[in-house]
Amino acid sequence: MAVRSVGVVSPQRMVFDEPLRLKSGGVLPRYELVYETYGELNAAKTNAVLVCHALSGSHHVAGYYEDDPKNIGWWDNFVGPGKPLDTRKFFVIGVNNLGGCYGSTGPKSIDPETGEPYGSRFPFVTVEDWVEAQARLADRLGISEFAAVIGGSLGGMQALSWALQYPERVRHVLAIATAPKLSAQNIAFNEVARQAILTDPDFHGGDYYRYGVVPKRGLMLARMIGHITYLSDDAMAEKFGRALKHGAFRYSYDVEFEIESYLRYQGEKFSRYFDANTYLLTTRALDYYDPAAEYGGDLAQAFARAQARFFVLSFSTDWRFSPARSREIVSALVHSEKPVSYLEIESKAGHDSFLLEHPHYHAAVRAYLNQVAV
Amino acid sequence: MSTVMTPDTNETVQPESALRFDLAAIARWVQPEERVLDLGCGDGALLAYLSATKRVVGYGIENDVNRVIACLDRGVNVIQSNLDQGLAGFEDGFFDRVIMSQALQAMHNTQGILQEMLRVGREAVVSFPNFAFWKHRKSILEGWMPVSESLPHQWFNTPNIRFFTVADFTTLCDLLDIEILEWMGFDDRHQPLPPDADLNFLATLAIARLARR
């Protein structure tokens, strides 16, 4: 059978009335999660796979909407009939994380206490909180155990966290282009992005909704910085080099080089649909993630309670979460005698590689998932 | 023919007779529930067999992406790595046994990898083609580089870069303070040679069990 799209999909919504106590000490008394599913849950409910999204991702992992056919899921090349995560075998779930801006309860949602958007009052959320909320969604869907939890980048951190928070509920973890915690350099980039937003005059301490504005310039700058870290030096050189927008210098601060045009375009586009508070919260969740911290920095000890099998993937030119960071995860898993496989994919595309089609990458995931029993 | 299902995977395991003869010989040295590292593990056949029959905690190291994918496909733990860069990331003495089957002759860093094997492992097992096998000697005497089952390539396309004999290997182990605990040798009909045989003359493939002295 040919590889094809999952086709028309529609998001679903689940309301949770049981309060969620967050790692930051905050509480969400009531919240909603928006999610999508692809494929069929089998009778024994053993074929469910959770896909965790990264910084700017959403529950819309694959397929497209009937009324918006151009809105294709962010990992459509990966999830579908005949694709590496094959929906003929697996029941795949994508969830928009708490604090998000695609429909799950987040800073722009209405706080029932005030009748106004949460804004600055939205509590800090962590990777562990997201996993907790995802677990509650799984409970409601009757899924006691995932065949696999899969994620790239920040999504990979959630996949790892699943194996530690709910060891008995996840059989396989695929952690792609991720790290066991951020480096100082990673945090530094996040901080510059946050400062761009926080110092935008339209930010209003996070309560910009009230003023009918958004910190567009800050969010645009944050995204531009992000994009630099997603691409490799090689990929930028190949795609843009020093190509000029107008053929010759104009001696101005307007766009001279194609790379500037690209970054401005990406930043501007992003600032039109993404919520600045979500960006702040999410980069902070990245900064805070460090499962080894409560074990004195000993990652192997942190993994001791995991029961899953692991597949760790990295990309050769990814410098945001370099192959060395993935190897830290692999070493720690070996040291705690956990089943783990590791592959570094030769790719020019930097961190972005995890979202792209690559024959070895997809063949490896396909092979790994092929031997996952359901 | 009985098959065994490995836990959590769909992989069915072949009996020992389906293993390549030298891998079957190596497998007999492995004790149940050992921690095993297989360097240059290829498609993972040995590890799949060992985890199903001896419940080993096993990991393979392989650099070739297509072989890594073959391992993934059969549910074998495989870690992609270039062995010429050593075994950084693995703890001292973590493994009971570190295996390298028919790969040493293709390594640049021969001494380094032997020492690394016995840094991370209590014992090491190395198998290699013996260039001094009598038919290889005859070939050289007749004026041609040997080509045989254990040396299947022509001189112009061989991946092998180290050409050594059982005697040479013994000398290197001595130099590196490595003790050879046991030898196994096979003739070119895959038959095991008696323990007191002159392996340097009669073995086309030799397997040594090693420990730090």
Side-chain angles (χ1 to χ4, degrees), chain B residues 158-211:
Chain B
T158 179
N160 298 335
I161 53 171
R162 305 287 185 208
F163 305 91
F164 58 101
T165 69
V166 167
D168 288 328
F169 186 76
T170 308
T171 306
L172 178 63
C173 286
D174 217 34
L175 195 72
L176 298 178
D177 252 350
I178 293 170
E179 185 178 0
I180 299 172
L181 302 171
E182 200 175 341
W183 278 109
M184 265 194 289
F186 291 88
D187 66 19
D188 57 353
R189 287 166 301 132
H190 304 176
Q191 295 307 305
L193 295 159
D196 57 349
D198 177 2
L199 297 188
N200 204 38
F201 191 73
L202 295 174
T204 180
L205 187 86
I207 314 180
R209 194 158 67 83
L210 312 170

Side-chain angles (χ1 to χ4, degrees), chain A residues 55 189-190 193 220-231 263 279 319-320 351-352:
Chain A
L55 214 166
F189 277 113
N190 280 349
M220 178 174 160
L221 279 174
R223 184 60 164 177
M224 288 168 77
I225 294 157
H227 260 281
I228 297 169
T229 70
Y230 305 150
L231 294 175
L263 288 177
Y279 202 90
W319 57 277
R320 185 181 172 97
H351 188 59
D352 263 351

Side-chain angles (χ1 to χ4, degrees), chain A residues 320-342:
Chain A
R320 185 181 172 97
F321 293 143
S322 70
R325 307 309 312 280
S326 284
R327 285 196 298 266
E328 287 174 39
I329 298 169
V330 174
S331 288
L333 286 166
V334 171
H335 289 178
S336 57
E337 294 187 50
K338 303 301 173 190
V340 56
S341 288
Y342 170 68

Side-chain angles (χ1 to χ4, degrees), chain B residues 63-170:
Chain B
N63 201 30
D64 178 82
V65 63
N66 291 311
R67 292 188 194 135
V68 169
I69 291 170
C71 289
L72 295 171
D73 205 34
R74 67 197 317 165
V76 161
N77 297 322
V78 59
I79 295 166
Q80 192 203 29
S81 182
N82 181 349
L83 287 179
D84 271 321
Q85 287 157 16
L87 298 172
F90 292 102
E91 269 177 290
D92 291 3
F94 183 81
F95 291 97
D96 296 300
R97 199 169 300 278
V98 182
I99 296 166
M100 182 185 275
S101 93
Q102 301 198 48
L104 192 66
Q105 75 277 6
M107 305 259 332
H108 284 273
N109 186 12
T110 317
Q111 300 182 59
I113 197 66
L114 281 172
Q115 280 162 329
E116 276 286 85
M117 287 174 79
L118 285 168
R119 175 183 69 78
V120 304
R122 189 170 51 79
E123 280 190 14
V125 175
V126 174
S127 78
F128 58 90
N130 175 31
F131 279 71
F133 174 52
W134 68 272
K135 286 188 184 172
H136 297 158
R137 299 188 194 197
K138 178 168 170 279
S139 180
I140 296 268
L141 277 176
E142 287 166 358
W144 307 92
M145 281 300 281
V147 175
S148 67
E149 191 192 359
S150 68
L151 295 173
H153 298 92
Q154 295 290 340
W155 65 274
F156 51 83
N157 64 6
T158 179
N160 298 335
I161 53 171
R162 305 287 185 208
F163 305 91
F164 58 101
T165 69
V166 167
D168 288 328
F169 186 76
T170 308

Side-chain angles (χ1 to χ4, degrees), chain A residues 23-297:
Chain A
K23 205 179 169 188
S24 61
V27 177
L28 280 173
R30 183 182 181 280
Y31 57 94
E32 295 181 18
L33 291 177
V34 60
Y35 65 99
E36 287 179 11
T37 69
Y38 323 100
E40 298 290 330
L41 186 61
N42 64 15
K45 300 188 177 182
T46 54
N47 69 334
V49 172
L50 178 67
V51 172
C52 304
H53 69 74
L55 214 166
S56 59
S58 72
H59 55 286
H60 186 34
V61 177
Y64 53 90
Y65 298 133
E66 189 143 44
D67 59 354
D68 187 7
K70 282 188 180 162
N71 187 353
I72 297 166
W74 58 268
W75 219 0
D76 192 73
N77 64 34
F78 193 90
V79 179
K83 293 183 182 178
L85 178 47
D86 193 334
T87 51
R88 293 170 302 179
K89 175 176 177 181
F90 296 108
F91 175 66
V92 180
I93 305 173
V95 195
N96 184 212
N97 282 326
L98 280 178
C101 56
Y102 291 108
S104 291
T105 300
K108 69 175 186 180
S109 308
I110 300 297
D111 178 353
E113 268 185 36
T114 63
E116 277 190 63
Y118 279 99
S120 61
R121 286 176 314 285
F122 197 86
F124 279 90
V125 285
T126 62
V127 166
E128 290 82 0
D129 299 328
W130 288 334
V131 168
E132 185 58 37
Q134 291 159 1
R136 289 189 184 183
L137 176 66
D139 291 341
R140 294 274 288 275
L141 296 173
I143 295 159
S144 57
E145 181 186 274
F146 282 108
V149 179
I150 303 180
S153 192
L154 175 57
M157 293 175 176
Q158 292 161 64
L160 293 174
S161 204
W162 257 97
L164 306 185
Q165 286 175 256
Y166 290 101
E168 70 295 342
R169 294 187 72 174
V170 49
R171 298 203 302 275
H172 295 267
V173 166
L174 281 80
I176 305 171
T178 192
K181 63 177 180 229
L182 293 200
S183 66
Q185 188 193 48
N186 295 144
I187 296 170
F189 277 113
N190 280 349
E191 173 58 6
V192 176
R194 278 191 297 270
Q195 284 302 324
I197 294 168
L198 294 166
T199 58
D200 185 318
D202 286 334
F203 182 63
H204 296 288
D207 294 314
Y208 43 87
Y209 317 98
R210 202 181 279 167
Y211 302 89
V213 294
V214 292
K216 201 170 158 52
R217 282 159 292 181
L219 194 52
M220 178 174 160
L221 279 174
R223 184 60 164 177
M224 288 168 77
I225 294 157
H227 260 281
I228 297 169
T229 70
Y230 305 150
L231 294 175
S232 68
D233 194 19
D234 284 353
M236 262 199 202
E238 191 167 297
K239 205 166 171 181
F240 308 104
R242 290 177 54 87
L244 298 176
K245 182 84 179 164
H246 307 290
F249 290 160
R250 292 188 165 184
Y251 297 97
S252 87
Y253 294 117
D254 290 336
V255 169
E256 290 271 38
F257 297 93
E258 285 290 357
I259 182 62
E260 298 172 307
S261 172
Y262 170 81
L263 288 177
R264 289 188 195 192
Y265 171 78
Q266 291 295 336
E268 208 280 326
K269 188 175 75 169
F270 188 69
S271 71
R272 267 184 274 134
Y273 64 79
F274 207 80
D275 182 65
N277 280 318
T278 292
Y279 202 90
L280 293 173
L281 282 170
T282 309
T283 57
R284 257 310 188 221
L286 272 160
D287 295 354
Y288 289 140
Y289 182 68
D290 182 7
E294 56 185 293
Y295 297 90

